[in-house]
Each structure stands twice: as structure tokens, then as C-alpha cells.
């Protein structure tokens, strides 16, 4: 797929291309890995949450269960700064999983920024954790499988969180 097709299929704007290619560029120069991105993206999550709080806060009810609260928070994040046209939240026991359709992600350093790397440098594991924790009483913590912040399953990036 050429870049023009990516722009159309993912509905990209200059901000999406800027962030994805910036992450890819930092990685290309050996200045970035998934661990660094997780830490830095927590700051982004905090500031996006503060922006959402002012502009369009998620409507949470303290009596709602944590699944509904987290679902509203993910919807709020995707509404404030669209990640993808296809983002899903699934409850797994007391924990939850966020799935982002890889081919629709607007910020993917590989898919949009064309990063050449074996692993990942996805900004969303840390960003979602901090964004959710800003609004929820029941905090979450990123779960790592095989020391990875996310894993790919078919055309999905899968990020797991433990409710603490």
C-alpha cells in the first residue's frame, strides 16, 4: 500500500503523520524503544486527560462497575484524540484488554511512520494506563507478557491491564 492509500484508509491528518513519523525517526537513530515510549506516553496520557477534563470529560458514575467506567474512558480518549476507527475493550476476569485494529491505527510508527524495527514502539500502552488512572478510582496497571507491553494478534495490537 502506498502512502496516499494509507492516508485515505486510516483517515490521517498532519498530527497523526507528525507523531508516527517522529517516533519512527527517534527509533531509527537508536534513541527510542518500547520502554522509553511507555514512560513518555504516560505524560501524554496525563495531559490528554487534563484536556478531556476541560473539553469533554467522560461521564462516570461512582456506582458503575469498573468495566463500564473503563469503556467510557477508552471511548473518551478515542473521541478526544482518535487512535483508530476500531478500538475495543474486553473484560477478562477483573482485568481488561484494549484491542486496536493495526491497519486502522492513526499513530502507528510502523504502519504510518514506516519504522523499520522488530519490536514495537507503540505510544498507547502507557498513554491508556495514565489516561484511565486519571479518571478512575479503580486504577489499572499495564500487564506485560513475555516482557512486552503489547502483542500482535492477526491485525490487532493487544494491550492488557490489571485492575488494582
Amino acid at each position: 500500500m502506498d502512502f496516499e492509500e494509507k492516508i485515505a484508509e486510516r483517515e490521517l491528518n498532519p498530527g497523526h503523520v507528525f507523531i508516527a513519523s517522529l517516533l519512527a525517526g527517534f527509533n531509527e537513530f537508536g534513541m527510542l524503544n518500547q520502554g522509553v515510549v511507555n514512560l513518555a506516553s504516560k505524560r501524554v496520557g496525563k495531559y490528554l486527560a487534563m484536556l478531556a477534563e476541560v473539553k469533554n470529560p467522560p461521564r462516570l458514575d461512582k456506582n458503575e462497575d469498573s468495566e463500564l467506567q473503563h469503556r467510557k474512558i477508552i471511548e473518551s480518549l478515542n473521541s478526544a484524540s482518535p487512535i483508530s476507527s476500531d478500538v475495543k475493550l474486553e473484560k477478562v476476569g477483573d482485568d481488561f484488554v484494549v484491542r486496536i485494529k493495526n491497519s486502522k491505527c492513526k499513530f502507528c510508527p510502523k504502519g504510518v511512520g514506516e519504522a523499520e524495527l522488530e519490536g514495537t514502539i507503540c505510544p498507547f500502552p502507557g498513554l491508556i494506563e495514565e489516561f484511565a488512572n486519571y479518571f478512575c478510582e479503580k486504577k489499572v496497571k499495564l500487564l506485560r507478557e513475555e516482557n512486552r507491553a503489547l502483542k500482535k494478534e492477526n491485525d490487532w495490537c493487544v494491550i492488557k491491564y490489571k485492575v488494582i
Side-chain angles (χ1 to χ4, degrees), residues 24-85:
F26 281 143
N27 179 262
E28 188 176 299
F29 294 116
M31 301 167 62
L32 202 58
N33 60 38
Q34 186 64 56
V36 172
V37 171
N38 285 346
L39 292 172
S41 65
K42 284 184 177 190
R43 181 178 173 88
V44 175
K46 174 185 173 187
Y47 280 85
L48 284 176
M50 291 183 333
L51 176 70
E53 186 174 45
V54 171
K55 294 233 175 202
N56 189 20
R59 305 285 182 226
L60 304 178
D61 180 342
K62 291 184 182 202
N63 297 322
E64 294 171 332
D65 69 359
S66 66
E67 178 184 7
L68 182 55
Q69 287 187 359
H70 288 113
R71 188 170 309 284
K72 286 180 176 181
I73 287 167
I74 296 301
E75 289 169 1
S76 174
L77 173 61
N78 200 36
S79 173
S81 182
I83 298 167
S84 168
S85 60

Side-chain angles (χ1 to χ4, degrees), residues 34 120 143-153 160:
Q34 186 64 56
T120 60
L143 288 176
R144 289 174 172 74
E145 287 188 3
E146 299 170 9
N147 209 29
R148 295 190 180 267
L150 70 113
K151 70 177 188 178
K152 299 213 178 199
E153 292 178 357
K160 296 182 179 182

Side-chain angles (χ1 to χ4, degrees), residues 67-127:
E67 178 184 7
L68 182 55
Q69 287 187 359
H70 288 113
R71 188 170 309 284
K72 286 180 176 181
I73 287 167
I74 296 301
E75 289 169 1
S76 174
L77 173 61
N78 200 36
S79 173
S81 182
I83 298 167
S84 168
S85 60
D86 205 348
V87 178
K88 298 178 180 180
L89 182 132
E90 299 171 6
K91 188 162 172 52
V92 180
D94 290 332
D95 304 330
F96 69 91
V97 173
V98 174
R99 295 179 181 275
I100 301 170
K101 184 89 166 180
N102 189 330
S103 61
K104 299 290 185 181
C105 181
K106 298 173 186 300
F107 294 95
C108 182
K110 282 184 175 182
V112 176
E114 300 181 347
E116 296 290 330
L117 66 145
E118 289 183 30
T120 60
I121 50 172
C122 178
F124 294 110
L127 190 156

